[in-house]
Structures are given as structure tokens and as C-alpha cells.
Amino acid sequence: VALVMLVLLTLIGISATETSRIDIQIAGNEMVYKENFYQAEAAVMQAIQAMENADLEASTPTWVATDLDAISDDEIRDATNWNTGTGFPNGTIPGTAAVPSSMMVSVFQGIETGGSLDMGRSRIYAYRVFGRSNTKNGQVIILAGYRKPF
């Protein structure tokens, strides 16, 4: 009876240890995801703030893609397009602090649906802003919409 009880207690101990190990891995993965999420979000917010400060009416910055058809959702997911100098415009925005391990790209979509076409009023221009972070074997891509009248 004592040996059977020892075997049962050993199995319970091994099971508890395995459950704890899995819970620690889950917590670690959640930490990596949150770190990537917040870095990608910071990249998006940095790009939006730079667009807010820029005079988009006078000239489109080089880091804003103007050809909406040239960038598909598959290309956004493809990590090779995010390398500096290849694919679509991305990377650090001039005059802003870099977000570590993050990249951003903004895509001009055109005049917002329902925006004024009246010559005396501002038109509302729509942009899609993507942020990407890829650290510690995790990846997050965030999409935010941005509208600016001019």
C-alpha cells in the first residue's frame, strides 16, 4: 500500500511540475507578444505623429507610399518587404526618435468617402499606417487608420 501511495504521489508531483513548466512558457510567450505589440503600436503612433506634424498638402514624405495597389496585405505580412531599402518605404522617420526593433509604413488611400468635394472646404485624405515589431521569435503587425484634412 505504501509503495502504491508513493507511486501515486510521484505521478502527481511530476504532473504538477509539467503543468508549472507549461504555465511558465505561456507567461513568457505572453510577455514577448506584449513587448512586440507595444513596440509596433509605438511605431504606428510615431508615424501618425510625424504625419500630423508634416505638411502633407505641400509634399508627400518619402516614407509614405502613394501607390495603394502596389502594397497588398500579403506584402505587408512578408517580412522581406520591411527591410530598409527594399519593398515599400519604411524605417525611421526623419526628425523622430527610433522605436527599437520596429518599423512602420504609411500608405495613402485617397480622399475619404464622404469627404467634402466643395472647393471652399478641406478634403479629408485617408492613410493606412502599419507598424511592425519582430523580437524574440515573435512578430506583431498593427494597422491603424489616419485621416487628415487639407
Side-chain angles (χ1 to χ4, degrees), residues 71-82 88 141:
I71 300 176
S72 68
D73 289 340
D74 290 333
E75 289 174 320
I76 290 292
R77 287 187 208 99
D78 186 2
T80 59
N81 288 329
W82 290 83
F88 38 80
I141 298 174

Side-chain angles (χ1 to χ4, degrees), residues 55-117:
D55 184 7
L56 297 176
E57 184 175 14
S59 66
T60 304
T62 57
W63 49 269
V64 176
T66 55
D67 187 3
L68 180 62
D69 296 329
I71 300 176
S72 68
D73 289 340
D74 290 333
E75 289 174 320
I76 290 292
R77 287 187 208 99
D78 186 2
T80 59
N81 288 329
W82 290 83
N83 295 332
T84 305
T86 63
F88 38 80
N90 64 76
T92 346
I93 298 169
T96 60
V99 179
S101 306
S102 301
M103 292 178 236
M104 69 287 294
V105 62
S106 181
V107 181
F108 175 69
Q109 289 186 284
I111 299 174
E112 182 66 29
T113 306
S116 174
L117 296 178

